Amino acid sequence: LIYVPSSYDNSKAVPLVLNFHGGLQNSAQERSFTQMNPMADEKGFIVVYPQGVDNVWNAGACCSSSDVDDVGFARAIVTYMEEHSCIDPRRIYSTGMSNGGRMTYRLGCEAADVFAAIAPVAGIKSFPDLDNTPGCMPSHPISLIDFMGTADTSHISYQAGQIKEWVAFNGCTDAEPKETYRNGEHYCSTYSQC
């Protein structure tokens, strides 16, 4: 599913966001759940809601047959959008929920040459795979905002280690993150010296 904001003018390059659904969900549910279209109208970006084979994404050690090339699929979507609309190649982003968050992490690991930043929601990095997926080795630093519930004890439980890995990938020199937002139990910790 592709959403083009009403303000779109093909003479001006706009950002592109790929928004991946959760496992056993679909692109229409992700569109409804995230309500990203109004934000696309307000901020002027195109959003694509991809559909996974059998409603899942091959995010590494999770969820799908290892022969499904979802990284290649994401790259093909970006290529298609660049050929059919005016996309700013410096502002291509990925987000997703749960299995879609895992897929977003995989794109950060394997397609940093395409994506400027990733924003996984309730998804963990599923690397290395049992058989054929290499560990996470981005081709260059890539920005990350990670949304997690620290009290989540399910199979997508909060893992501080994956953030520390990303801090290392990006060459951040902060000794510890700085708390940049708090509202009750909700908070944001930021590494900014990267």
Side-chain angles (χ1 to χ4, degrees):
L1 302 174
I2 300 170
Y3 184 77
V4 178
S6 56
S7 62
Y8 175 73
D9 173 354
N10 66 1
S11 68
K12 180 182 175 188
V14 299
L16 173 66
V17 176
L18 273 59
N19 187 344
F20 293 87
H21 63 75
L24 304 180
Q25 297 178 340
N26 61 49
S27 54
Q29 289 171 311
E30 184 71 2
R31 178 183 59 192
S32 175
F33 175 71
T34 62
Q35 292 293 302
M36 194 170 273
N37 292 0
M39 183 62 68
D41 282 328
E42 180 183 331
K43 300 295 184 182
F45 62 87
I46 294 175
V47 60
V48 175
Y49 304 91
Q51 178 60 52
V53 174
D54 297 327
N55 293 349
V56 293
W57 301 108
N58 180 1
C62 168
C63 311
S64 176
S65 168
S66 62
D67 63 350
V68 175
D69 183 8
D70 282 329
V71 173
F73 177 51
R75 287 178 178 276
I77 291 170
V78 171
T79 298
Y80 176 87
M81 295 305 298
E82 288 175 329
E83 291 171 353
H84 292 86
S85 52
C86 190
I87 301 298
D88 183 344
R90 297 163 301 152
R91 296 187 294 164
I92 299 173
Y93 309 101
S94 176
T95 190
M97 174 76 174
S98 189
N99 177 222
R102 289 175 186 252
M103 184 63 204
T104 294
Y105 259 118
R106 184 167 191 176
L107 291 174
C109 293
E110 296 184 24
D113 58 311
V114 173
F115 294 91
I118 60 171
V121 180
I124 58 173
K125 186 169 62 64
S126 301
F127 291 87
D129 198 343
L130 301 176
D131 299 318
N132 62 355
T133 304
C136 185
M137 301 173 73
S139 58
H140 60 79
I142 179 173
S143 294
L144 162 75
I145 183 169
D146 184 275
F147 298 92
M148 289 292 290
T150 56
D152 188 349
T153 58
S154 70
H155 64 284
I156 47 174
S157 61
Y158 174 73
Q159 297 178 12
Q162 69 183 7
I163 301 302
K164 293 285 188 184
E165 287 179 19
W166 221 267
V167 166
F169 296 151
N170 285 345
C172 302
T173 58
D174 314 59
E176 291 294 327
K178 179 181 178 184
E179 187 174 287
T180 53
Y181 171 84
R182 179 169 288 276
N183 183 354
E185 293 183 5
H186 304 96
Y187 65 93
C188 181
S189 296
T190 304
Y191 290 89
S192 60
Q193 299 171 23
C194 306

PDB file of all heavy atoms in Angstrom, residues 120 144-152 157-161 163-164 176-191:
ATOM      1  N   PRO A 120      12.656   0.936  14.868  1.00  0.00           N
ATOM      2  CA  PRO A 120      11.911  -0.262  15.249  1.00  0.00           C
ATOM      3  C   PRO A 120      11.038  -0.005  16.480  1.00  0.00           C
ATOM      4  O   PRO A 120      11.424   0.736  17.379  1.00  0.00           O
ATOM      5  CB  PRO A 120      13.008  -1.285  15.552  1.00  0.00           C
ATOM      6  CG  PRO A 120      14.223  -0.467  15.866  1.00  0.00           C
ATOM      7  CD  PRO A 120      14.089   0.811  15.100  1.00  0.00           C
ATOM      8  N   LEU A 144      19.318   5.598  14.739  1.00  0.00           N
ATOM      9  CA  LEU A 144      18.350   4.657  15.295  1.00  0.00           C
ATOM     10  C   LEU A 144      17.546   5.348  16.382  1.00  0.00           C
ATOM     11  O   LEU A 144      18.109   6.044  17.224  1.00  0.00           O
ATOM     12  CB  LEU A 144      19.085   3.453  15.907  1.00  0.00           C
ATOM     13  CG  LEU A 144      18.306   2.581  16.891  1.00  0.00           C
ATOM     14  CD1 LEU A 144      17.309   1.705  16.161  1.00  0.00           C
ATOM     15  CD2 LEU A 144      19.264   1.725  17.721  1.00  0.00           C
ATOM     16  N   ILE A 145      16.230   5.165  16.343  1.00  0.00           N
ATOM     17  CA  ILE A 145      15.390   5.458  17.501  1.00  0.00           C
ATOM     18  C   ILE A 145      14.624   4.170  17.762  1.00  0.00           C
ATOM     19  O   ILE A 145      14.012   3.601  16.860  1.00  0.00           O
ATOM     20  CB  ILE A 145      14.457   6.674  17.290  1.00  0.00           C
ATOM     21  CG1 ILE A 145      13.677   6.953  18.577  1.00  0.00           C
ATOM     22  CG2 ILE A 145      13.544   6.496  16.094  1.00  0.00           C
ATOM     23  CD1 ILE A 145      12.917   8.281  18.586  1.00  0.00           C
ATOM     24  N   ASP A 146      14.723   3.660  18.964  1.00  0.00           N
ATOM     25  CA  ASP A 146      14.171   2.355  19.318  1.00  0.00           C
ATOM     26  C   ASP A 146      13.082   2.549  20.369  1.00  0.00           C
ATOM     27  O   ASP A 146      13.336   3.165  21.407  1.00  0.00           O
ATOM     28  CB  ASP A 146      15.295   1.474  19.875  1.00  0.00           C
ATOM     29  CG  ASP A 146      14.828   0.074  20.183  1.00  0.00           C
ATOM     30  OD1 ASP A 146      14.288  -0.148  21.292  1.00  0.00           O
ATOM     31  OD2 ASP A 146      15.003  -0.798  19.327  1.00  0.00           O
ATOM     32  N   PHE A 147      11.888   2.054  20.079  1.00  0.00           N
ATOM     33  CA  PHE A 147      10.758   2.164  21.012  1.00  0.00           C
ATOM     34  C   PHE A 147      10.506   0.800  21.637  1.00  0.00           C
ATOM     35  O   PHE A 147      10.161  -0.153  20.932  1.00  0.00           O
ATOM     36  CB  PHE A 147       9.494   2.622  20.270  1.00  0.00           C
ATOM     37  CG  PHE A 147       9.620   3.981  19.649  1.00  0.00           C
ATOM     38  CD1 PHE A 147      10.045   4.120  18.338  1.00  0.00           C
ATOM     39  CD2 PHE A 147       9.321   5.124  20.373  1.00  0.00           C
ATOM     40  CE1 PHE A 147      10.158   5.371  17.750  1.00  0.00           C
ATOM     41  CE2 PHE A 147       9.439   6.383  19.800  1.00  0.00           C
ATOM     42  CZ  PHE A 147       9.853   6.500  18.489  1.00  0.00           C
ATOM     43  N   MET A 148      10.712   0.702  22.953  1.00  0.00           N
ATOM     44  CA  MET A 148      10.534  -0.576  23.658  1.00  0.00           C
ATOM     45  C   MET A 148       9.904  -0.345  25.017  1.00  0.00           C
ATOM     46  O   MET A 148      10.121   0.690  25.636  1.00  0.00           O
ATOM     47  CB  MET A 148      11.888  -1.265  23.877  1.00  0.00           C
ATOM     48  CG  MET A 148      12.536  -1.819  22.632  1.00  0.00           C
ATOM     49  SD  MET A 148      11.653  -3.222  21.912  1.00  0.00           S
ATOM     50  CE  MET A 148      11.961  -4.497  23.123  1.00  0.00           C
ATOM     51  N   GLY A 149       9.176  -1.341  25.463  1.00  0.00           N
ATOM     52  CA  GLY A 149       8.684  -1.362  26.838  1.00  0.00           C
ATOM     53  C   GLY A 149       9.675  -2.132  27.686  1.00  0.00           C
ATOM     54  O   GLY A 149       9.892  -3.325  27.469  1.00  0.00           O
ATOM     55  N   THR A 150      10.317  -1.458  28.631  1.00  0.00           N
ATOM     56  CA  THR A 150      11.359  -2.119  29.426  1.00  0.00           C
ATOM     57  C   THR A 150      10.797  -3.193  30.351  1.00  0.00           C
ATOM     58  O   THR A 150      11.533  -4.055  30.807  1.00  0.00           O
ATOM     59  CB  THR A 150      12.155  -1.095  30.260  1.00  0.00           C
ATOM     60  OG1 THR A 150      11.242  -0.355  31.076  1.00  0.00           O
ATOM     61  CG2 THR A 150      12.926  -0.146  29.356  1.00  0.00           C
ATOM     62  N   ALA A 151       9.502  -3.167  30.604  1.00  0.00           N
ATOM     63  CA  ALA A 151       8.891  -4.186  31.466  1.00  0.00           C
ATOM     64  C   ALA A 151       8.350  -5.369  30.665  1.00  0.00           C
ATOM     65  O   ALA A 151       7.813  -6.311  31.237  1.00  0.00           O
ATOM     66  CB  ALA A 151       7.761  -3.565  32.289  1.00  0.00           C
ATOM     67  N   ASP A 152       8.491  -5.334  29.355  1.00  0.00           N
ATOM     68  CA  ASP A 152       7.987  -6.409  28.500  1.00  0.00           C
ATOM     69  C   ASP A 152       8.808  -7.672  28.748  1.00  0.00           C
ATOM     70  O   ASP A 152      10.020  -7.671  28.588  1.00  0.00           O
ATOM     71  CB  ASP A 152       8.102  -5.993  27.029  1.00  0.00           C
ATOM     72  CG  ASP A 152       7.435  -6.967  26.080  1.00  0.00           C
ATOM     73  OD1 ASP A 152       7.061  -8.068  26.517  1.00  0.00           O
ATOM     74  OD2 ASP A 152       7.301  -6.623  24.896  1.00  0.00           O
ATOM     75  N   SER A 157      11.329  -9.040  24.530  1.00  0.00           N
ATOM     76  CA  SER A 157      11.673  -8.301  25.738  1.00  0.00           C
ATOM     77  C   SER A 157      12.789  -7.306  25.476  1.00  0.00           C
ATOM     78  O   SER A 157      13.627  -7.475  24.589  1.00  0.00           O
ATOM     79  CB  SER A 157      12.087  -9.273  26.851  1.00  0.00           C
ATOM     80  OG  SER A 157      13.219 -10.009  26.450  1.00  0.00           O
ATOM     81  N   TYR A 158      12.801  -6.254  26.275  1.00  0.00           N
ATOM     82  CA  TYR A 158      13.800  -5.200  26.178  1.00  0.00           C
ATOM     83  C   TYR A 158      15.189  -5.780  26.374  1.00  0.00           C
ATOM     84  O   TYR A 158      15.432  -6.529  27.322  1.00  0.00           O
ATOM     85  CB  TYR A 158      13.522  -4.124  27.220  1.00  0.00           C
ATOM     86  CG  TYR A 158      14.587  -3.063  27.286  1.00  0.00           C
ATOM     87  CD1 TYR A 158      14.705  -2.121  26.279  1.00  0.00           C
ATOM     88  CD2 TYR A 158      15.482  -3.015  28.344  1.00  0.00           C
ATOM     89  CE1 TYR A 158      15.689  -1.144  26.317  1.00  0.00           C
ATOM     90  CE2 TYR A 158      16.467  -2.041  28.397  1.00  0.00           C
ATOM     91  CZ  TYR A 158      16.562  -1.112  27.382  1.00  0.00           C
ATOM     92  OH  TYR A 158      17.539  -0.151  27.430  1.00  0.00           O
ATOM     93  N   GLN A 159      16.095  -5.436  25.470  1.00  0.00           N
ATOM     94  CA  GLN A 159      17.477  -5.903  25.563  1.00  0.00           C
ATOM     95  C   GLN A 159      18.403  -4.704  25.393  1.00  0.00           C
ATOM     96  O   GLN A 159      18.625  -4.243  24.274  1.00  0.00           O
ATOM     97  CB  GLN A 159      17.760  -6.949  24.484  1.00  0.00           C
ATOM     98  CG  GLN A 159      16.917  -8.193  24.634  1.00  0.00           C
ATOM     99  CD  GLN A 159      17.167  -9.201  23.520  1.00  0.00           C
ATOM    100  OE1 GLN A 159      18.117  -9.086  22.762  1.00  0.00           O
ATOM    101  NE2 GLN A 159      16.310 -10.187  23.430  1.00  0.00           N
ATOM    102  N   ALA A 160      18.940  -4.221  26.496  1.00  0.00           N
ATOM    103  CA  ALA A 160      19.800  -3.041  26.439  1.00  0.00           C
ATOM    104  C   ALA A 160      21.032  -3.288  25.591  1.00  0.00           C
ATOM    105  O   ALA A 160      21.588  -2.365  25.000  1.00  0.00           O
ATOM    106  CB  ALA A 160      20.205  -2.627  27.850  1.00  0.00           C
ATOM    107  N   GLY A 161      21.453  -4.537  25.485  1.00  0.00           N
ATOM    108  CA  GLY A 161      22.653  -4.865  24.718  1.00  0.00           C
ATOM    109  C   GLY A 161      22.567  -4.476  23.263  1.00  0.00           C
ATOM    110  O   GLY A 161      23.564  -4.071  22.652  1.00  0.00           O
ATOM    111  N   ILE A 163      21.090  -1.933  21.986  1.00  0.00           N
ATOM    112  CA  ILE A 163      21.343  -0.492  21.873  1.00  0.00           C
ATOM    113  C   ILE A 163      22.840  -0.223  22.001  1.00  0.00           C
ATOM    114  O   ILE A 163      23.410   0.577  21.254  1.00  0.00           O
ATOM    115  CB  ILE A 163      20.543   0.299  22.927  1.00  0.00           C
ATOM    116  CG1 ILE A 163      19.040   0.040  22.772  1.00  0.00           C
ATOM    117  CG2 ILE A 163      20.863   1.786  22.846  1.00  0.00           C
ATOM    118  CD1 ILE A 163      18.469   0.380  21.415  1.00  0.00           C
ATOM    119  N   LYS A 164      23.484  -0.902  22.938  1.00  0.00           N
ATOM    120  CA  LYS A 164      24.932  -0.731  23.110  1.00  0.00           C
ATOM    121  C   LYS A 164      25.678  -1.121  21.833  1.00  0.00           C
ATOM    122  O   LYS A 164      26.659  -0.482  21.458  1.00  0.00           O
ATOM    123  CB  LYS A 164      25.435  -1.581  24.287  1.00  0.00           C
ATOM    124  CG  LYS A 164      24.932  -1.132  25.638  1.00  0.00           C
ATOM    125  CD  LYS A 164      25.620   0.115  26.104  1.00  0.00           C
ATOM    126  CE  LYS A 164      25.235   0.423  27.537  1.00  0.00           C
ATOM    127  NZ  LYS A 164      25.798   1.679  28.003  1.00  0.00           N
ATOM    128  N   GLU A 176      27.533   7.416  28.863  1.00  0.00           N
ATOM    129  CA  GLU A 176      26.179   6.924  29.133  1.00  0.00           C
ATOM    130  C   GLU A 176      25.194   7.802  28.364  1.00  0.00           C
ATOM    131  O   GLU A 176      25.494   8.964  28.073  1.00  0.00           O
ATOM    132  CB  GLU A 176      25.863   6.975  30.634  1.00  0.00           C
ATOM    133  CG  GLU A 176      26.652   5.995  31.472  1.00  0.00           C
ATOM    134  CD  GLU A 176      26.314   4.538  31.172  1.00  0.00           C
ATOM    135  OE1 GLU A 176      25.148   4.256  30.844  1.00  0.00           O
ATOM    136  OE2 GLU A 176      27.232   3.704  31.262  1.00  0.00           O
ATOM    137  N   PRO A 177      24.010   7.290  28.098  1.00  0.00           N
ATOM    138  CA  PRO A 177      23.026   8.144  27.419  1.00  0.00           C
ATOM    139  C   PRO A 177      22.502   9.223  28.360  1.00  0.00           C
ATOM    140  O   PRO A 177      22.512   9.060  29.585  1.00  0.00           O
ATOM    141  CB  PRO A 177      21.921   7.164  27.030  1.00  0.00           C
ATOM    142  CG  PRO A 177      22.014   6.079  28.055  1.00  0.00           C
ATOM    143  CD  PRO A 177      23.480   5.947  28.372  1.00  0.00           C
ATOM    144  N   LYS A 178      22.057  10.322  27.783  1.00  0.00           N
ATOM    145  CA  LYS A 178      21.466  11.407  28.557  1.00  0.00           C
ATOM    146  C   LYS A 178      19.948  11.300  28.463  1.00  0.00           C
ATOM    147  O   LYS A 178      19.394  11.097  27.384  1.00  0.00           O
ATOM    148  CB  LYS A 178      21.924  12.751  27.980  1.00  0.00           C
ATOM    149  CG  LYS A 178      21.340  13.955  28.692  1.00  0.00           C
ATOM    150  CD  LYS A 178      21.819  15.249  28.065  1.00  0.00           C
ATOM    151  CE  LYS A 178      21.183  16.445  28.756  1.00  0.00           C
ATOM    152  NZ  LYS A 178      21.559  17.710  28.116  1.00  0.00           N
ATOM    153  N   GLU A 179      19.273  11.434  29.589  1.00  0.00           N
ATOM    154  CA  GLU A 179      17.812  11.424  29.576  1.00  0.00           C
ATOM    155  C   GLU A 179      17.335  12.742  28.980  1.00  0.00           C
ATOM    156  O   GLU A 179      17.605  13.810  29.503  1.00  0.00           O
ATOM    157  CB  GLU A 179      17.248  11.238  30.978  1.00  0.00           C
ATOM    158  CG  GLU A 179      15.738  11.062  30.970  1.00  0.00           C
ATOM    159  CD  GLU A 179      15.166  10.736  32.341  1.00  0.00           C
ATOM    160  OE1 GLU A 179      15.371   9.586  32.804  1.00  0.00           O
ATOM    161  OE2 GLU A 179      14.547  11.620  32.935  1.00  0.00           O
ATOM    162  N   THR A 180      16.637  12.665  27.854  1.00  0.00           N
ATOM    163  CA  THR A 180      16.207  13.868  27.144  1.00  0.00           C
ATOM    164  C   THR A 180      14.702  14.082  27.213  1.00  0.00           C
ATOM    165  O   THR A 180      14.202  15.097  26.721  1.00  0.00           O
ATOM    166  CB  THR A 180      16.644  13.792  25.671  1.00  0.00           C
ATOM    167  OG1 THR A 180      16.187  12.550  25.107  1.00  0.00           O
ATOM    168  CG2 THR A 180      18.154  13.874  25.549  1.00  0.00           C
ATOM    169  N   TYR A 181      13.975  13.150  27.815  1.00  0.00           N
ATOM    170  CA  TYR A 181      12.521  13.288  27.955  1.00  0.00           C
ATOM    171  C   TYR A 181      12.073  12.361  29.074  1.00  0.00           C
ATOM    172  O   TYR A 181      12.592  11.254  29.222  1.00  0.00           O
ATOM    173  CB  TYR A 181      11.812  12.888  26.653  1.00  0.00           C
ATOM    174  CG  TYR A 181      10.309  12.793  26.785  1.00  0.00           C
ATOM    175  CD1 TYR A 181       9.515  13.927  26.667  1.00  0.00           C
ATOM    176  CD2 TYR A 181       9.686  11.575  27.042  1.00  0.00           C
ATOM    177  CE1 TYR A 181       8.142  13.844  26.800  1.00  0.00           C
ATOM    178  CE2 TYR A 181       8.312  11.483  27.180  1.00  0.00           C
ATOM    179  CZ  TYR A 181       7.532  12.620  27.053  1.00  0.00           C
ATOM    180  OH  TYR A 181       6.178  12.535  27.189  1.00  0.00           O
ATOM    181  N   ARG A 182      11.098  12.828  29.860  1.00  0.00           N
ATOM    182  CA  ARG A 182      10.464  11.964  30.864  1.00  0.00           C
ATOM    183  C   ARG A 182       9.055  12.460  31.117  1.00  0.00           C
ATOM    184  O   ARG A 182       8.819  13.641  31.255  1.00  0.00           O
ATOM    185  CB  ARG A 182      11.246  11.924  32.170  1.00  0.00           C
ATOM    186  CG  ARG A 182      10.541  11.011  33.224  1.00  0.00           C
ATOM    187  CD  ARG A 182      11.385  10.722  34.434  1.00  0.00           C
ATOM    188  NE  ARG A 182      12.476   9.816  34.190  1.00  0.00           N
ATOM    189  CZ  ARG A 182      12.384   8.484  34.197  1.00  0.00           C
ATOM    190  NH1 ARG A 182      11.232   7.905  34.417  1.00  0.00           N
ATOM    191  NH2 ARG A 182      13.450   7.747  33.992  1.00  0.00           N
ATOM    192  N   ASN A 183       8.125  11.505  31.162  1.00  0.00           N
ATOM    193  CA  ASN A 183       6.742  11.762  31.541  1.00  0.00           C
ATOM    194  C   ASN A 183       6.287  10.541  32.320  1.00  0.00           C
ATOM    195  O   ASN A 183       5.911   9.526  31.728  1.00  0.00           O
ATOM    196  CB  ASN A 183       5.868  11.991  30.301  1.00  0.00           C
ATOM    197  CG  ASN A 183       4.437  12.340  30.662  1.00  0.00           C
ATOM    198  OD1 ASN A 183       4.047  12.320  31.823  1.00  0.00           O
ATOM    199  ND2 ASN A 183       3.647  12.656  29.659  1.00  0.00           N
ATOM    200  N   GLY A 184       6.377  10.605  33.637  1.00  0.00           N
ATOM    201  CA  GLY A 184       6.072   9.443  34.467  1.00  0.00           C
ATOM    202  C   GLY A 184       7.081   8.341  34.202  1.00  0.00           C
ATOM    203  O   GLY A 184       8.283   8.553  34.318  1.00  0.00           O
ATOM    204  N   GLU A 185       6.589   7.162  33.836  1.00  0.00           N
ATOM    205  CA  GLU A 185       7.477   6.041  33.560  1.00  0.00           C
ATOM    206  C   GLU A 185       8.017   6.055  32.131  1.00  0.00           C
ATOM    207  O   GLU A 185       8.874   5.260  31.779  1.00  0.00           O
ATOM    208  CB  GLU A 185       6.749   4.721  33.815  1.00  0.00           C
ATOM    209  CG  GLU A 185       6.407   4.498  35.284  1.00  0.00           C
ATOM    210  CD  GLU A 185       5.752   3.153  35.518  1.00  0.00           C
ATOM    211  OE1 GLU A 185       5.650   2.352  34.566  1.00  0.00           O
ATOM    212  OE2 GLU A 185       5.328   2.901  36.657  1.00  0.00           O
ATOM    213  N   HIS A 186       7.526   6.948  31.299  1.00  0.00           N
ATOM    214  CA  HIS A 186       7.966   7.034  29.913  1.00  0.00           C
ATOM    215  C   HIS A 186       9.166   7.968  29.823  1.00  0.00           C
ATOM    216  O   HIS A 186       9.129   9.077  30.353  1.00  0.00           O
ATOM    217  CB  HIS A 186       6.830   7.545  29.018  1.00  0.00           C
ATOM    218  CG  HIS A 186       5.600   6.718  29.128  1.00  0.00           C
ATOM    219  ND1 HIS A 186       4.551   7.059  29.964  1.00  0.00           N
ATOM    220  CD2 HIS A 186       5.258   5.562  28.541  1.00  0.00           C
ATOM    221  CE1 HIS A 186       3.624   6.148  29.882  1.00  0.00           C
ATOM    222  NE2 HIS A 186       4.010   5.224  29.020  1.00  0.00           N
ATOM    223  N   TYR A 187      10.213   7.514  29.163  1.00  0.00           N
ATOM    224  CA  TYR A 187      11.412   8.335  29.070  1.00  0.00           C
ATOM    225  C   TYR A 187      12.172   8.061  27.784  1.00  0.00           C
ATOM    226  O   TYR A 187      11.959   7.038  27.132  1.00  0.00           O
ATOM    227  CB  TYR A 187      12.330   8.122  30.281  1.00  0.00           C
ATOM    228  CG  TYR A 187      12.907   6.731  30.363  1.00  0.00           C
ATOM    229  CD1 TYR A 187      14.139   6.442  29.796  1.00  0.00           C
ATOM    230  CD2 TYR A 187      12.221   5.704  30.989  1.00  0.00           C
ATOM    231  CE1 TYR A 187      14.673   5.171  29.868  1.00  0.00           C
ATOM    232  CE2 TYR A 187      12.735   4.426  31.057  1.00  0.00           C
ATOM    233  CZ  TYR A 187      13.962   4.155  30.492  1.00  0.00           C
ATOM    234  OH  TYR A 187      14.484   2.892  30.549  1.00  0.00           O
ATOM    235  N   CYS A 188      13.058   8.970  27.458  1.00  0.00           N
ATOM    236  CA  CYS A 188      13.915   8.828  26.293  1.00  0.00           C
ATOM    237  C   CYS A 188      15.352   9.039  26.744  1.00  0.00           C
ATOM    238  O   CYS A 188      15.658  10.039  27.406  1.00  0.00           O
ATOM    239  CB  CYS A 188      13.543   9.841  25.217  1.00  0.00           C
ATOM    240  SG  CYS A 188      14.539   9.707  23.725  1.00  0.00           S
ATOM    241  N   SER A 189      16.215   8.096  26.390  1.00  0.00           N
ATOM    242  CA  SER A 189      17.648   8.221  26.653  1.00  0.00           C
ATOM    243  C   SER A 189      18.344   8.361  25.319  1.00  0.00           C
ATOM    244  O   SER A 189      18.094   7.599  24.390  1.00  0.00           O
ATOM    245  CB  SER A 189      18.175   6.979  27.383  1.00  0.00           C
ATOM    246  OG  SER A 189      17.575   6.877  28.654  1.00  0.00           O
ATOM    247  N   THR A 190      19.260   9.329  25.210  1.00  0.00           N
ATOM    248  CA  THR A 190      19.843   9.693  23.928  1.00  0.00           C
ATOM    249  C   THR A 190      21.373   9.661  23.973  1.00  0.00           C
ATOM    250  O   THR A 190      21.991  10.204  24.889  1.00  0.00           O
ATOM    251  CB  THR A 190      19.399  11.114  23.525  1.00  0.00           C
ATOM    252  OG1 THR A 190      17.975  11.151  23.511  1.00  0.00           O
ATOM    253  CG2 THR A 190      19.950  11.507  22.173  1.00  0.00           C
ATOM    254  N   TYR A 191      21.957   9.003  22.975  1.00  0.00           N
ATOM    255  CA  TYR A 191      23.383   9.119  22.706  1.00  0.00           C
ATOM    256  C   TYR A 191      23.511  10.135  21.586  1.00  0.00           C
ATOM    257  O   TYR A 191      22.970   9.941  20.499  1.00  0.00           O
ATOM    258  CB  TYR A 191      23.972   7.781  22.245  1.00  0.00           C
ATOM    259  CG  TYR A 191      24.053   6.733  23.324  1.00  0.00           C
ATOM    260  CD1 TYR A 191      22.992   5.874  23.567  1.00  0.00           C
ATOM    261  CD2 TYR A 191      25.204   6.607  24.104  1.00  0.00           C
ATOM    262  CE1 TYR A 191      23.076   4.896  24.554  1.00  0.00           C
ATOM    263  CE2 TYR A 191      25.286   5.645  25.092  1.00  0.00           C
ATOM    264  CZ  TYR A 191      24.222   4.777  25.318  1.00  0.00           C
ATOM    265  OH  TYR A 191      24.293   3.833  26.287  1.00  0.00           O
TER     266      TYR A 191
END
